[in-house]
C-alpha cells in the first residue's frame, strides 16, 4: 500500500505526534511534496515509514 494517503491524512487532520511537538508538520509537508514530485531520497524519505507506524501506534493506544 502506498503511504502517501496516510501522510496526507496526517497533514489534513493532524496527529498526536504533531500535538506533542514530535513531528513538524511543515517539514512533513515538504517531504510529502517531494515524494509526489518523484524526488525520492532514501536518507530522508525512508524515515516516513516510521512516521506512519508511530502515528498509527499512538492512535491505537489513544482510542
Amino acid at each position: 500500500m502506498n503511504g502517501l494517503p496516510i501522510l496526507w491524512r496526517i497533514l489534513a487532520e493532524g496527529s498526536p505526534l504533531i500535538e506533542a511537538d514530535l513531528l513538524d508538520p511543515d517539514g512533513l509537508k515538504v517531504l510529502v511534496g517531494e515524494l509526489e514530485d518523484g524526488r525520492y531520497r532514501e536518507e530522508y524519505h525512508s524515515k516516513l515509514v516510521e512516521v506512519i507506524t508511530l502515528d498509527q501506534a499512538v492512535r491505537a493506544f489513544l482510542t
Side-chain angles (χ1 to χ4, degrees), residues 14-36:
S15 167
L17 299 174
I18 294 171
E19 293 170 14
D21 291 326
L22 297 171
L23 178 62
D24 174 23
D26 295 328
L28 179 60
K29 188 172 184 177
V30 168
L31 291 175
V32 171
E34 290 174 355
L35 285 177
E36 291 261 317

Side-chain angles (χ1 to χ4, degrees), residues 40-51:
Y40 180 80
R41 294 177 296 165
E42 181 76 25
E43 65 271 15
Y44 299 110
H45 297 107
S46 63
K47 293 177 176 77
L48 292 174
V49 173
E50 294 176 32
V51 170

